[in-house]
Amino acid sequence: MTRAVPDPDLAITAIKGRGMFLTPLRVDDAESMVEVLAAPQLYTFTGGEAPSLEGLRRRYRSQVRGGPTDGSAYWLNWIVRLRDDTAVGFVQATAHYDGISYIADLAWVIGTPWQRKGMATAAAVLMKDWLADHGVPRFCASIHPRHESSRKVAASLGLRRSEQLTDEGEEVWNMTTP
């Protein structure tokens, strides 16, 4: 059996949208993102706490590598920016081959001052469409059952809640593109 692979151009690129754009993650983004990620409310459903600047730099150093050295997954991380270049959050996908095709596990976080303005949905749609255009046909997201905002974003992406739960009790949402 031939293993399906995503587009060889899966190298992450900037993505332009209406009123915003996504830029590939860089370690230097930690300086602007540490304040965006500082609000304790961002961790209500995911747990954890706001990262320190050095902690965020360490995390970003790991993430910009692009995935495990064995090639078993792609880590794709973008900073969500407004037209004036203000960083307001991030979107990310981990794409891996599951024996059938590539599936991308999607995630999104928008800083509290910019929430409830449609930015998470807009940024997540840009990311999902880019991934689909680059050969990733299946998508999922793990969402806390009480996180209504993320449930709405997932539904806007075309994901549907499954009966599956993660070990942490999050609902798994899925979709396959035509």
Side-chain angles (χ1 to χ4, degrees):
M1 173 170 76
T2 303
R3 179 172 152 163
V5 295
D7 185 321
D9 295 329
L10 198 58
I12 192 167
T13 60
I15 307 169
K16 293 184 181 180
R18 210 172 76 212
M20 71 171 52
F21 59 102
L22 309 180
T23 58
L25 178 69
R26 299 169 315 159
V27 175
D28 291 347
D29 289 321
E31 282 77 20
S32 58
M33 288 299 294
V34 73
E35 187 174 326
V36 172
L37 300 174
Q41 303 91 311
L42 292 176
Y43 308 93
T44 300
F45 297 107
T46 60
E49 60 187 31
S52 67
L53 178 57
E54 190 49 44
L56 199 53
R57 284 181 181 139
R58 277 193 304 276
R59 180 187 315 164
Y60 286 178
R61 272 189 217 100
S62 174
Q63 289 176 333
V64 298
R65 284 196 333 253
T69 56
D70 66 1
S72 61
Y74 295 95
W75 296 335
L76 303 147
N77 297 276
W78 290 268
I79 300 298
V80 179
R81 297 180 178 282
L82 302 179
R83 285 185 188 195
D84 68 0
D85 205 35
T86 301
V88 299
F90 67 86
V91 292
Q92 61 188 179
T94 299
H96 67 278
Y97 187 73
D98 71 354
I100 299 168
S101 64
Y102 273 84
I103 184 167
D105 189 2
L106 308 178
W108 47 86
V109 172
I110 298 295
T112 55
W114 303 279
Q115 290 180 359
R116 307 218 186 297
K117 298 176 182 182
M119 290 186 192
T121 298
V125 165
L126 287 172
M127 171 180 58
K128 181 190 75 75
D129 290 350
W130 185 91
L131 289 162
D133 289 346
H134 287 80
V136 178
R138 297 170 52 218
F139 301 92
C140 69
S142 300
I143 301 172
H144 191 283
R146 292 191 335 261
H147 198 313
E148 284 303 316
S149 296
S150 282
R151 291 168 61 110
K152 288 177 183 177
V153 172
S156 295
L157 292 172
L159 279 70
R160 300 289 172 250
R161 187 172 56 89
S162 71
E163 298 300 318
Q164 183 181 358
L165 296 176
T166 67
D167 291 341
E168 294 80 25
E170 294 182 320
E171 299 171 335
V172 178
W173 291 58
N174 297 301
M175 79 163 294
T176 301
T177 58

